[in-house]
């Protein structure tokens, strides 16, 4: 049996659309073992009522790609998914399934794929490199598509930094949240984001959170997505007032993530209350960045 643990991820961190991701200490586990024939999938925890247990399952599809790519002769497969990451909320649940499926299958097939190939395969399945790179490598990752591959660099998160997440009780499919985005953005908005993303990287690398609030502003995706998340702008404003260093949509949403180095409980309560005042029930969690990415917990 092979057991792989994959962290949740928050993508974009505000202005870094499709190129920044951070791993968080909340994990999904993918277990696989070869079986005589057929496919059995068990899902425990988050998403257990909605995640398919047949060939449509994302972790299985990811595993299948590895078996095909590596020429592994699959007979039957048993798969168990033990999930802590809420599905379709902007915390990288689909990435965790894809990365977990790929890494587990790769180990079963003899470990032929290296880190770069794993990231590339997962990035192709997800369609953007930010979550997958952070899920595989841990920490904060800058990742871009260039010359047909994903190029990435990892930054270690500032030690005192934690993420406070408010997870609304409704799903938002990434596809829907991408379809709403414009085909073009203005030169001014591009300049606005470039400056902020540069400031954000400098802040994170130096562990200087004093300008994080400005550094996490965004004009190229959040304004378009905010209409799908009741109270979004008010939650952002209230969270800043409660002492968050910076706040943004987590990935494609609907989760909002605040970064802070203190006042975590107050920030969490303010986020939850503000969502509630706007008719949204939200679960709150305080999560440390995960310095480690996906890893095998058991191979036997
Ligand atoms: N960068 C992606 C997006 C992340 O914002 O659509 C999706 O999880």
């Amino acid at each position: 049996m092979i057991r792989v643990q994959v962290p949740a991820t928050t993508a974009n961190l505000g202005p870094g659309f499709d190129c920044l991701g951070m791993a968080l200490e909340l994990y999904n586990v993918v277990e696989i073992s070869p079986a005589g024939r057929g496919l059995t999938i068990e899902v425990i925890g988050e998403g257990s009522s909605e995640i398919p247990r047949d060939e449509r399952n994302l972790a299985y599809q990811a595993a299948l790609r590895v078996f095909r790519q590596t020429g592994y002769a699959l007979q039957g497969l048993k798969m168990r998914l033990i999930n802590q990451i809420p599905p379709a909320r902007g915390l990288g649940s689909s990435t965790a399934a894809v990365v977990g499926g790929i890494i587990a299958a790769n180990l079963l097939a003899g470990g032929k794929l290296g880190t770069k190939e794993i990231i590339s395969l997962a990035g192709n399945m997800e369609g953007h490199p930010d979550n997958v790179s952070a899920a595989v490598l841990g920490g904060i990752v800058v990742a871009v598509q260039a010359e047909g591959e994903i190029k990435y660099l990892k930054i270690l998160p500032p030690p005192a930094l934690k993420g406070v997440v408010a997870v609304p009780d409704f799903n938002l499919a990434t596809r829907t949240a991408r379809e709403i985005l414009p085909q073009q953005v203005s030169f001014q908005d591009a300049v606005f984001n470039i400056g902020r993303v540069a400031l954000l990287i400098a802040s994170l690398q130096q562990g200087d959170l004093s300008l994080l609030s400005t550094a996490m502003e965004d004009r190229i995706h959040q304004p378009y997505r905010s209409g799908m998340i009741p109270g979004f702008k008010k939650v952002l404003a209230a969270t800043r007032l409660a002492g968050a260093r910076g706040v943004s949509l987590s990935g494609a949403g609907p989760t909002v993530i605040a970064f802070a180095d203190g006042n975590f409980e107050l920030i969490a309560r303010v986020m939850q209350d503000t969502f509630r005042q706007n008719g949204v029930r939200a679960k709150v969690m305080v999560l440390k960045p995960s310095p480690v990415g996906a890893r095998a917990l058991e191979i036997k």
Side-chain angles (χ1 to χ4, degrees):
M1 192 260 282
I2 289 165
R3 177 183 294 143
V4 173
Q5 171 184 274
V6 190
T9 44
T10 182
N12 304 330
L13 310 183
F17 182 75
D18 276 3
C19 68
L20 284 185
M22 180 195 284
L24 298 168
E25 284 194 343
L26 183 75
Y27 299 96
N28 280 5
V29 169
V30 175
E31 291 177 358
I32 61 171
S33 22
R37 54 201 284 258
L39 171 68
T40 324
I41 301 178
E42 193 185 346
V43 186
I44 299 167
E46 289 286 345
S48 59
S49 59
E50 57 204 275
I51 292 171
R53 290 168 165 72
D54 53 24
E55 281 76 11
R56 291 168 302 159
N57 183 283
L58 206 48
Y60 171 71
Q61 285 186 8
L64 212 53
R65 289 205 187 201
V66 174
F67 296 141
R68 289 204 186 113
Q69 199 164 318
T70 58
Y72 178 81
L74 178 70
Q75 302 200 311
L77 194 71
K78 263 197 192 164
M79 193 166 227
R80 197 150 81 114
L81 309 174
I82 307 157
N83 295 342
Q84 289 185 333
I85 308 171
R89 301 296 208 288
L91 286 169
S93 60
S94 66
T95 287
V98 166
V99 167
I102 289 174
I103 292 180
N106 185 42
L107 290 168
L108 193 64
K112 291 178 186 152
L113 306 182
T115 304
K116 232 179 155 154
E117 287 160 306
I118 290 170
I119 289 178
S120 159
L121 186 53
N124 283 342
M125 284 189 74
E126 285 287 84
H128 42 90
D130 41 3
N131 296 89
V132 299
S133 308
V136 173
L137 301 169
I140 299 165
V141 180
V142 186
V144 299
Q145 315 243 26
E147 294 145 7
E149 57 178 288
I150 297 176
K151 306 201 176 193
Y152 50 82
L153 284 175
K154 176 174 170 177
I155 303 170
L156 283 178
L161 188 80
K162 286 188 196 172
V164 185
V165 293
V167 187
D169 69 349
F170 63 88
N171 293 2
L172 180 52
T174 300
R175 189 154 46 94
T176 312
R178 290 178 82 84
E179 276 166 6
I180 205 160
L181 300 178
Q183 292 296 314
Q184 295 183 330
V185 296
S186 71
F187 188 76
Q188 287 90 336
D189 287 351
V191 170
F192 182 96
N193 267 54
I194 291 165
R196 269 123 187 112
V197 88
L199 190 61
L200 178 56
I201 297 302
S203 306
L204 295 170
Q205 265 183 332
Q206 293 177 25
D208 179 343
L209 307 180
S210 60
L211 298 177
L212 208 61
S213 185
T214 300
M216 285 181 68
E217 289 174 335
D218 161 74
R219 278 198 192 156
I220 68 168
H221 70 106
Q222 290 183 177
Y224 306 98
R225 289 170 163 173
S226 68
M228 296 186 291
I229 305 156
F232 176 69
K233 286 184 190 146
K234 288 187 181 138
V235 172
L236 253 55
T239 306
R240 286 196 193 101
L241 281 178
R245 295 293 201 148
V247 57
S248 69
L249 205 56
S250 180
T255 293
V256 172
I257 185 159
F259 290 108
D261 51 0
N263 294 324
F264 305 113
E265 300 309 323
L266 173 69
I267 292 166
R269 206 168 52 240
V270 166
M271 291 171 96
Q272 192 170 43
D273 287 349
T274 314
F275 260 132
R276 193 188 308 115
Q277 284 153 16
N278 288 277
V280 176
R281 272 195 303 167
K283 177 167 112 178
V284 286
M285 290 182 271
V286 180
L287 301 171
K288 281 194 208 156
S290 174
V292 294
R295 57 182 168 161
L297 299 179
E298 197 173 326
I299 308 175
K300 66 174 186 206

